[in-house]
């Protein structure tokens, strides 16, 4: 939309419709016309079963059904209930509870954690750093509050984490900004499925520690939305101790999404959790983030907080939830590996993949390729550098079918 009637553009690029939801809408329209079997809708960022139904953990639903009216009708405190804040830390850190000051503030999903981190740890006009393969909503969030997103190349020529590009960009930004927010989406990165290795983390943190002089402030926002659908929960949390007790001007903030882990997408439940050796920094974190919450969404859904608290009060229930999630995590991992294996078999180049909801294919004309695939009943998300496939939303046989279809379209466009 180029012209506004009453609203003000305020430097924002506001499309007529969200791209992902718009393409999903087209997929649903084709389903109505041609039937479910004729369409592959790989745009959805939620886990569906093999029949295309939303996966909702029955053990979590059972807790929901037993809530009292007070559990869901009463206002929650702005920062979250006391029991929720304890429980969300247990959920986020697992057996790696940090040996430093940690504070949690409730947010409406991981999105709210991103918003409040940018709002409080960067200045208006600052650039926020993330990789060149990234969730496009990062840009929307930053732009909405007067910041912008800039990127570094995520991969080098060998397909490894591009520490040289990361270092150059951090150095460049800190030469002109007093503070820098860096968004690191791992494990099971959206949109590629890549996960930083422990060596990657060492290289990244050594770079930040070397570049971040005492008069500069760096906030590392770790977006772990998909951590509990990446695989072994302990293995994928092994990096957490590396974030303990960094120098005082480097603040790690974890964005944790109960929406994903506990399949409570529509209840918008999450938290931002800081890790710092300085008590005053942790106290300030609570104060400023609660202030921003009050000024935007006010408070979050109490019911989801109570559900999480009840799960962590009952070890037997927690074991049931973890076992049920593992079943679906295994299903998701099979789909992702099936897509990766078939891509290798047919010769389709994909971005380095490890786990998670998504995989990506480099492509010079993502929008053009997406439109051609739609004609064949295949709906993918076009990104700036390629196509995103949601392996979370399609069964294994379609994960194996897609690489050949995609490759055929890409070859036809050469």
């Amino acid at each position: 939309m180029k012209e506004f009637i009453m609203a003000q553009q305020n430097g924002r690029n506001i499309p007529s419709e969200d791209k992902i939801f718009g393409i999903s809408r087209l997929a649903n329209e084709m389903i109505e016309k041609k039937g479910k079997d004729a369409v592959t809708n790989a745009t959805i960022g939620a886990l569906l079963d093999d029949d295309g139904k939303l996966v909702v953990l029955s053990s979590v639903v059972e807790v929901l059904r037993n809530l009292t009216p007070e559990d869901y009708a009463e206002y929650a405190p702005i920062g979250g209930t006391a029991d929720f804040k304890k429980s969300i830390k247990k959920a986020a850190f697992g057996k790696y509870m940090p040996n430093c000051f940690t504070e949690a503030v409730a947010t409406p999903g991981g999105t709210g954690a991103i918003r409040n981190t940018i709002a409080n740890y960067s200045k208006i006009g600052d650039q926020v750093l993330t990789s060149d393969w990234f969730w496009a909503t990062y840009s929307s969030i930053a732009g909405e509050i007067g910041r912008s997103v800039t990127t570094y190349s995520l991969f080098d020529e060998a397909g490894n984490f591009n520490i040289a590009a990361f270092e150059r960009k951090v150095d460049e930004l800190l030469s002109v900004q007093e503070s820098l927010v860096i968004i690191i989406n791992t494990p099971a990165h959206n949109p590629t499925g890549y996960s930083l290795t422990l060596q990657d983390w060492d290289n990244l943190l050594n770079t930040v520690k070397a570049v971040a002089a005492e008069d500069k402030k760096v906030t590392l926002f770790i977006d772990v939305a998909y951590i509990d659908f990446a695989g072994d929960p302990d293995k994928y949390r092994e990096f957490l101790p590396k974030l303990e007790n960094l120098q005082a001007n480097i603040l790690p903030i974890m964005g944790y999404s109960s929406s994903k882990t506990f399949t409570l997408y529509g209840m918008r439940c999450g938290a931002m959790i800081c890790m710092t050796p300085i008590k005053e920094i942790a106290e300030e974190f609570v104060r400023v983030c609660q202030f921003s919450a009050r000024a935007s969404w006010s408070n979050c859904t109490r019911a989801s907080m109570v559900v999480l608290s009840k799960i962590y009060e009952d070890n037997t229930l927690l074991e049931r939830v973890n076992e049920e999630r593992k079943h679906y995590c295994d299903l998701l991992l099979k789909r992702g590996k099936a897509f990766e294996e078939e891509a290798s078999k047919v010769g389709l180049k994909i971005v380095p993949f490890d786990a998670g909801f998504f995989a990506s294919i480099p492509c010079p004309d993502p929008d053009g390729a997406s439109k051609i695939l739609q004609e064949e009943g295949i709906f993918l998300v076009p990104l700036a550098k390629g196509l995103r496939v949601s392996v979370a939303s399609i069964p294994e046989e379609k994960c194996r079918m897609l690489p050949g279809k995609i490759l055929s379209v890409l070859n036809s466009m050469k």
Side-chain angles (χ1 to χ4, degrees):
M1 183 183 294
K2 295 182 179 179
E3 296 181 0
F4 288 78
I5 302 169
M6 290 294 292
Q8 299 297 328
Q9 187 169 359
N10 291 330
R12 299 169 296 172
N13 179 22
I14 303 176
S16 59
E17 183 177 32
D18 179 89
K19 178 178 279 190
I20 296 177
F21 284 93
I23 295 173
S24 187
R25 174 182 56 78
L26 293 175
N28 290 328
E29 289 175 359
M30 185 175 284
I31 289 172
E32 290 181 5
K33 292 178 181 178
K34 297 186 176 181
K36 182 179 175 181
D37 293 340
V39 176
T40 299
N41 185 0
T43 69
I44 301 168
L47 184 59
L48 308 184
D49 66 19
D50 286 344
D51 294 322
K53 295 180 180 179
L54 183 69
V55 169
V56 183
L57 300 181
S58 61
S59 48
V60 175
V61 172
E62 186 177 313
V63 181
L64 270 169
R65 286 176 173 162
N66 288 316
L67 296 183
T68 67
E70 290 79 7
D71 287 334
Y72 54 78
E74 185 180 353
Y75 280 125
I78 293 170
T81 65
D83 287 341
F84 168 77
K85 288 187 284 187
K86 292 177 184 176
S87 299
I88 201 77
K89 287 187 200 178
K90 292 178 182 178
F93 294 123
K95 73 176 187 180
Y96 294 101
M97 192 63 68
N99 183 26
C100 61
F101 293 101
T102 63
E103 292 289 350
V105 174
T107 60
T111 305
I114 299 162
R115 190 267 175 206
N116 273 2
T117 297
I118 295 174
N120 286 296
Y121 294 95
S122 66
K123 288 186 174 182
I124 293 173
D126 274 0
Q127 290 187 304
V128 174
L129 181 62
T130 193
S131 62
D132 56 350
W133 288 92
F134 69 99
W135 185 42
T137 305
Y138 290 159
S139 285
S140 301
I141 295 168
E144 181 73 7
I145 52 178
R147 283 78 162 172
S148 61
V149 165
T150 188
T151 64
Y152 62 92
S153 297
L154 179 56
F155 301 105
D156 60 21
E157 292 182 356
N160 299 316
F161 179 70
N162 197 335
I163 187 61
F166 176 80
E167 182 176 2
R168 283 194 299 272
K169 200 67 181 181
V170 171
D171 190 45
E172 173 191 324
L173 291 170
L174 284 178
S175 70
V176 295
Q177 295 182 185
E178 295 178 6
S179 58
L180 177 60
V181 172
I182 304 172
I183 301 176
I184 306 293
N185 183 206
T186 191
H189 174 259
N190 175 7
T192 68
Y194 182 74
S195 299
L196 292 184
T197 66
L198 295 179
Q199 185 61 58
D200 291 337
W201 270 111
D202 287 339
N203 294 338
L204 184 153
L205 291 172
N206 287 337
T207 294
V208 173
K209 286 186 281 190
V211 174
E214 290 184 5
D215 61 338
K216 302 291 184 177
K217 303 173 185 178
V218 175
T219 300
L220 287 173
F221 181 83
I222 305 96
D223 185 346
V224 297
Y226 301 95
I227 193 168
D228 288 308
F229 281 97
D232 184 316
D234 291 337
K235 173 187 173 184
Y236 281 95
R237 284 172 168 80
E238 286 178 343
F239 72 92
L240 289 174
K242 297 179 182 295
L243 301 174
E244 292 180 23
N245 298 307
L246 297 176
Q247 59 204 58
N249 61 331
I250 302 174
L251 178 64
I253 297 175
M254 182 187 294
Y256 186 79
S257 173
S258 302
S259 308
K260 306 291 190 306
T261 295
F262 297 93
T263 63
L264 293 172
Y265 303 99
M267 297 194 76
R268 307 309 301 136
C269 181
M272 54 195 307
I273 310 169
C274 75
M275 304 166 63
T276 176
I278 309 298
K279 181 181 180 182
E280 290 77 11
I281 291 176
E283 292 172 343
E284 175 190 72
F285 169 85
V286 174
R287 186 173 74 253
V288 299
C289 293
Q290 287 189 167
F291 179 87
S292 289
R294 182 59 168 160
S296 48
W297 55 78
S298 189
N299 51 9
C300 298
T301 309
R302 188 183 191 95
S304 54
M305 298 184 195
V306 175
V307 167
L308 195 68
S309 301
K310 288 184 178 295
I311 289 171
Y312 277 87
E313 288 170 0
D314 185 336
N315 287 333
T316 301
L317 175 59
L318 178 60
E319 287 180 11
R320 284 181 54 207
V321 172
N322 288 340
E323 287 174 7
E324 189 176 5
R325 185 190 306 111
K326 183 180 184 304
H327 167 76
Y328 287 110
C329 182
D330 290 344
L331 175 71
L332 177 64
L333 290 171
K334 286 181 181 178
R335 292 176 182 175
K337 294 306 177 185
F339 182 85
E340 183 182 32
E341 289 169 5
E342 196 64 26
S344 177
K345 181 178 176 181
V346 303
L348 176 68
K349 181 181 178 181
I350 68 171
V351 179
F353 173 85
D354 176 54
F357 278 36
F358 309 107
S360 290
I361 304 101
C363 173
D365 183 8
D367 288 306
S370 175
K371 289 177 181 177
I372 295 172
L373 286 162
Q374 287 174 26
E375 294 173 2
E376 299 186 23
I378 296 172
F379 293 81
L380 310 180
V381 175
L383 307 171
K385 299 189 67 175
L387 298 167
R388 189 190 80 174
V389 177
S390 171
V391 297
S393 63
I394 56 175
E396 184 177 338
E397 59 266 27
K398 288 195 173 183
C399 289
R400 293 194 180 277
M401 172 274 292
L402 278 180
K405 296 281 189 180
I406 296 169
L407 181 63
S408 178
V409 167
L410 296 185
N411 286 340
S412 72
M413 297 175 68
K414 291 181 179 178

